[in-house]
Amino acid sequence: MSSILLTRWQKAPREIFLDKRSVHLWRFRLSEVTPADVLSKDERQRADRLRIPGKSRDFVAARTSLRQILCRYLDSSPQDIRFVYNDHGKPFLAGARLSFN
């Protein structure tokens, strides 16, 4: 097994290639995300139910970023991504060969 030491974070590449042996790690600051109108109805409802100050905005920022990242892999628009959820509420892409955590 080999490991790679990341010495600094790089900007996202314009084109993304992913093979079966690849793992991509993404990092972003929630405070720097500009929320876009890409969330589904259930995601907006979930954000509205969050009562702790700042948690709603963080949820919207995180889901906006997740959609913007996934759409690059799926060659779709962020608002066209459809999540399904397991019994614990974890989202995943039904029928897609792409997994995320």
Side-chain angles (χ1 to χ4, degrees):
M1 180 188 318
S2 65
S3 63
I4 298 173
L5 175 64
L6 295 177
T7 57
R8 65 182 179 90
W9 289 90
Q10 300 174 351
K11 291 193 180 257
R14 290 181 188 254
E15 294 184 28
I16 298 174
F17 302 100
L18 185 64
D19 62 36
K20 291 180 181 181
R21 297 175 293 172
S22 294
V23 173
H24 291 180
L25 180 63
W26 291 81
R27 178 180 83 157
F28 53 88
R29 288 185 175 88
L30 294 175
S31 61
E32 295 178 3
V33 174
T34 302
D37 189 22
V38 297
L39 302 187
S40 66
K41 182 179 177 181
D42 66 299
E43 288 170 318
R44 288 190 302 272
Q45 289 172 341
R46 181 173 171 188
D48 290 343
R49 288 193 306 266
L50 297 171
R51 300 291 178 213
I52 299 172
K55 291 296 180 185
S56 178
R57 190 216 178 277
D58 287 351
F59 176 82
V60 170
R63 279 301 172 91
T64 297
S65 293
L66 176 61
R67 287 175 168 276
Q68 290 171 337
I69 291 167
L70 290 175
C71 79
R72 296 180 71 183
Y73 290 96
L74 300 172
D75 194 28
S76 68
S77 63
Q79 60 270 24
D80 290 338
I81 292 174
R82 297 290 173 245
F83 294 114
V84 291
Y85 300 88
N86 70 12
D87 293 339
H88 303 288
K90 182 181 181 336
F92 64 96
L93 301 167
R97 293 176 35 172
L98 178 69
S99 59
F100 62 93
N101 190 357

